[in-house]
Amino acid sequence: MTDTSTPSAEQSSEETASATAAESAGTEETKKSESATTDSDLFRQSEVAADYVEGLLDILDYDGDIDELVSAGRPMVEVVGGRLQPLVGQRGATLEALQELTRLAIFRATGSPSRLLLDIGGYRATRRKELTAVARNAVEKVKEHGDAIRLEPMSAFERKCVHDVVNAIPGVQSESEGVEPSRRIVVRPAD
């Protein structure tokens, strides 16, 4: 004999709640396992990136020494040598493009997105120092005059450098506004 009765609303909602809770727990476990990237995974990403960059250097007939490392939970590749300025480009534009291509190569090889940081000829370290001075200057002006200051448009790397400096100083705050490639930072007194 077949049961043709319909379940009560209470049974139905309880079953739905149980199923939703089980799905939610499974999704949380999946997110945790996806976000838990080990140091060996990060080093593998830097190795893939180094191989890719080395191939590009060979094609372009540029000489450079390539260092692969993991720093602050990010894979990094640094290229040092002479005659590398064309690979950096104006205000780091070529470097940013090469970084994105290298991240795509990592994704193709590993199936995981990467937060790789590529540096060529020490450009990022030099630019970080310049941006620290820009940020401190903006903070001084904001504290002195009390008015918000809008900085020039910057890349994501540059904005992060400025945010880090501004957010470490009490009495001021920073936020990004606008849309790429014209996204910029506004420094203002803290609320």
Side-chain angles (χ1 to χ4, degrees):
M1 185 182 247
T2 307
D3 183 13
T4 58
S5 64
T6 58
S8 69
E10 289 176 8
Q11 290 174 332
S12 172
S13 63
E14 287 174 9
E15 290 171 0
T16 303
S18 296
T20 304
E23 287 174 13
S24 176
T27 303
E28 288 176 18
E29 288 177 20
T30 303
K31 286 180 184 177
K32 286 179 185 176
S33 66
E34 286 175 0
S35 65
T37 306
T38 65
D39 282 344
S40 63
D41 292 338
L42 295 174
F43 191 73
R44 169 77 177 122
Q45 290 180 13
S46 68
E47 287 177 326
V48 169
D51 290 343
Y52 181 77
V53 170
E54 184 176 13
L56 284 176
L57 292 176
D58 288 344
I59 290 168
L60 297 170
D61 197 27
Y62 281 96
D63 290 327
D65 293 327
I66 301 172
D67 294 325
E68 55 201 50
L69 55 135
V70 174
S71 177
R74 283 182 92 162
M76 295 181 66
V77 170
E78 296 175 347
V79 181
V80 292
R83 210 175 61 91
L84 295 173
Q85 181 56 36
L87 296 178
V88 173
Q90 186 176 3
R91 293 200 56 210
T94 306
L95 173 58
E96 292 292 330
L98 289 173
Q99 177 175 278
E100 287 305 310
L101 289 172
T102 307
R103 286 177 175 176
L104 286 172
I106 292 169
F107 182 76
R108 190 181 72 212
T110 65
S112 300
S114 177
R115 295 179 53 233
L116 170 85
L117 188 63
L118 176 64
D119 193 10
I120 297 177
Y123 173 80
R124 291 198 190 275
T126 302
R127 185 69 176 141
R128 187 174 283 120
K129 288 178 186 174
E130 293 169 357
L131 292 167
T132 298
V134 167
R136 287 190 175 140
N137 185 32
V139 166
E140 286 177 21
K141 288 181 181 178
V142 168
K143 283 186 170 187
E144 183 178 329
H145 301 290
D147 297 327
I149 294 180
R150 285 177 171 69
L151 301 177
E152 65 186 29
M154 298 180 186
S155 70
F157 162 76
E158 293 171 326
R159 289 192 311 270
K160 170 128 176 46
C161 292
V162 172
H163 283 304
D164 288 348
V165 171
V166 172
N167 292 331
I169 300 172
V172 291
Q173 63 185 21
S174 63
E175 63 184 21
S176 294
E177 69 176 18
V179 179
E180 296 290 354
S182 299
R183 196 154 169 80
R184 65 181 66 230
I185 290 181
V186 179
V187 181
R188 61 176 40 110
D191 294 333

